[in-house]
Amino acid sequence: MFLSPQTIEFFESYSEAILVTDNDDKPVYVNPAFTNLTGLQITDVSTPVKQEFFKVKFGYDNNSAGQMTHWESTIVGKNEEDIWTRISVSPYKHNGNEQGSVYTLMNSPKLERMKALIDSENKLTTLAEATPVMIWMTNSENLTFYFNKSWLDFTGKPLEEQLGTGWFKSVNPEDWKVFNDLNNQFKNNEPYTCVYRLLRHDGVYRYILEIASPRLAPDGSFAGYMGSCLDISEMKEAQIELAEKAKELVRSNEELEQFAYVASHDLQEPLRMIGSYVQLVGKRIEAGKTDDLDEYMKFAVDGVARMQGLISDLLQFSRVNRKGNPFAPVDMNEMMKIVSAHLIKRIEETGAELTFDDNMPTINGDSF
């Protein structure tokens, strides 16, 4: 035993668990605190200590020999229970020569709670891998360190490209402002819900509903966010289509009002002409005068024909948005003659004069 009596006396009274090994990493001493913590005597500690007892697998001898090192791990107690500990190891020197190592083990409620948190998150990630919903987690600096299989399958990109803020490259640039609008929630570590477009593996942007809640460390501090994402493209497209239908309905109602106004206005002219000539015919018959009756009746019948034409034209106009006729050449000279004929009585009553160029062009349109 290379430990001096004074050193052993100090270790015996030390409150933390102590395990001492020689240069071959074989245990040579454990103090009472070690036995109280683990339930193990020195003969129960497996050799070599680093690899077998503490399960150190990261090349300790090459990287950490000769200097103080810390890590956290589980050790197996006498009753096969896992004990979560913080382990510190430093070289033990006597007369300037390194003769072994001193392991100090600390177990605390905080460490146990941290272990419980890690165990919980391990179980959570196991469940997350099996769910079709896209799941992710961030650390306290809001850098993403976990994506489940559903997310990786959706984006079609390797995990390494999406860790940290790499996933943000898949968000549609037009939707970046969505996350800027969440600055207050991020600042206060509050839950949030948002919708944005994410690039799928086939190059198509899909609408994503994201719901996130804060994760808390055992001491109640903010540990990051955990979120779930759902593809809601079909529902979003249906909402957009419904909004377009609503706009179309408003426009259709406005056109209907205009149509009603045009119909009531334009139909009045042939009606006025018919009424006027029928009255003239009636007065002539009362007076026993039959001259000009044929001419007046001809005008009245012509007014009826024009009215029928207007009704037919209005019906055609009402169908334009649904099944308009193919455009064809329309002679504007003939069109103006028809308009003038419809207004002839009003022109006579008001003394108006309607003029237009005799050389009007022929254009492509729907003449009804």
Side-chain angles (χ1 to χ4, degrees):
M1 171 73 71
F2 53 80
L3 297 177
S4 67
Q6 294 83 0
T7 301
I8 293 176
E9 183 180 359
F10 171 76
F11 284 160
E12 292 286 312
S13 62
Y14 199 62
S15 61
E16 302 295 347
I18 297 291
L19 183 151
V20 181
T21 65
D22 61 17
N23 281 333
D24 293 326
D25 205 31
K26 295 180 179 179
V28 296
Y29 171 82
V30 296
N31 70 347
F34 178 91
T35 301
N36 290 336
L37 173 64
T38 65
L40 303 173
Q41 302 292 334
I42 189 169
T43 54
D44 300 317
V45 180
S46 53
T47 303
V49 169
K50 290 187 291 295
Q51 279 76 23
E52 298 299 327
F53 183 71
F54 292 120
K55 302 177 182 177
V56 178
K57 305 294 185 183
F58 52 82
Y60 172 89
D61 291 324
N62 295 327
N63 298 325
S64 303
Q67 56 184 314
M68 182 173 287
T69 307
H70 308 278
W71 72 92
E72 292 180 4
S73 179
T74 56
I75 59 174
V76 180
K78 192 168 187 177
N79 296 322
E80 300 298 322
E81 79 278 12
D82 288 338
I83 303 171
W84 185 261
T85 58
R86 178 175 174 81
I87 304 159
S88 300
V89 58
S90 59
Y92 180 81
K93 294 183 180 181
H94 182 68
N95 296 328
N97 297 317
E98 186 173 325
Q99 297 186 355
S101 300
V102 177
Y103 294 86
T104 304
L105 286 65
M106 181 182 69
N107 174 260
S108 69
K110 180 178 179 180
L111 289 174
E112 286 294 335
R113 289 195 299 269
M114 185 63 72
K115 175 181 178 293
L117 176 64
I118 293 173
D119 288 344
S120 175
E121 290 189 348
N122 287 338
K123 292 177 182 177
L124 185 60
T125 54
T126 300
L127 292 174
E129 290 302 308
T131 180
V133 178
M134 294 181 280
I135 304 291
W136 52 263
M137 283 191 285
T138 67
N139 60 19
S140 58
E141 297 178 349
N142 272 337
L143 298 176
T144 310
F145 66 87
Y146 171 76
F147 292 103
N148 73 339
K149 183 177 183 298
S150 294
W151 176 285
L152 298 177
D153 289 344
F154 181 92
T155 59
K157 295 182 179 180
L159 175 64
E160 295 75 18
E161 291 184 16
Q162 303 188 74
L163 294 176
T165 58
W167 67 274
F168 202 66
K169 296 176 183 177
S170 297
V171 175
N172 191 313
E174 295 179 3
D175 295 340
W176 289 350
K177 57 182 175 57
V178 170
F179 297 94
N180 292 332
D181 294 340
L182 293 171
N183 279 337
N184 284 338
Q185 284 88 337
F186 293 147
K187 182 178 179 181
N188 298 318
N189 303 327
E190 296 174 345
Y192 69 86
T193 301
C194 65
V195 175
Y196 57 90
R197 285 166 291 178
L198 187 68
L199 190 65
R200 196 168 58 183
H201 59 82
D202 57 0
V204 176
Y205 281 107
R206 303 284 289 178
Y207 281 97
I208 300 298
L209 171 64
E210 179 172 294
I211 302 174
S213 299
R215 298 166 47 247
L216 299 180
D219 60 1
S221 62
F222 177 70
Y225 277 103
M226 178 175 180
S228 61
C229 296
L230 190 64
D231 186 342
I232 59 166
S233 296
E234 284 74 17
M235 182 178 70
K236 190 67 177 179
E237 288 164 5
Q239 289 177 342
I240 293 173
E241 183 179 355
L242 185 61
E244 291 296 327
K245 292 289 186 184
K247 290 180 181 178
E248 180 65 21
L249 182 60
V250 171
R251 188 187 65 80
S252 178
N253 286 339
E254 292 173 350
E255 288 185 352
L256 183 60
E257 291 180 8
Q258 185 180 13
F259 176 79
Y261 172 79
V262 171
S264 63
H265 180 272
D266 288 2
L267 289 176
Q268 286 181 22
E269 296 308 317
L271 280 174
R272 286 166 60 84
M273 185 174 70
I274 293 168
S276 296
Y277 283 112
V278 169
Q279 287 178 4
L280 286 174
V281 170
K283 290 178 181 178
R284 288 284 184 174
I285 292 175
E286 280 184 16
K289 298 178 180 181
T290 58
D291 54 321
D292 298 327
L293 287 182
D294 289 343
E295 184 179 358
Y296 293 158
M297 287 303 298
K298 180 180 177 181
F299 283 127
V301 171
D302 185 53
V304 171
R306 290 175 184 171
M307 188 170 180
Q308 287 175 336
L310 272 174
I311 292 173
S312 176
D313 290 345
L314 286 170
L315 181 60
Q316 291 290 335
F317 177 77
S318 70
R319 295 173 177 170
V320 166
N321 286 338
R322 290 176 292 161
K323 51 177 183 179
N325 294 325
F327 278 13
V330 178
D331 187 343
M332 296 306 297
N333 293 302
E334 290 298 322
M335 190 62 64
M336 287 306 298
K337 290 177 182 178
I338 295 172
V339 172
S340 300
H342 287 169
L343 298 174
I344 187 169
K345 191 62 182 178
R346 190 65 178 270
I347 291 172
E348 291 176 357
E349 290 176 351
T350 59
E353 182 179 356
L354 180 62
T355 60
F356 56 91
D357 193 342
D358 290 336
N359 253 338
M360 297 188 72
T362 297
I363 63 173
N364 280 333
D366 187 349
S367 63
F368 302 135

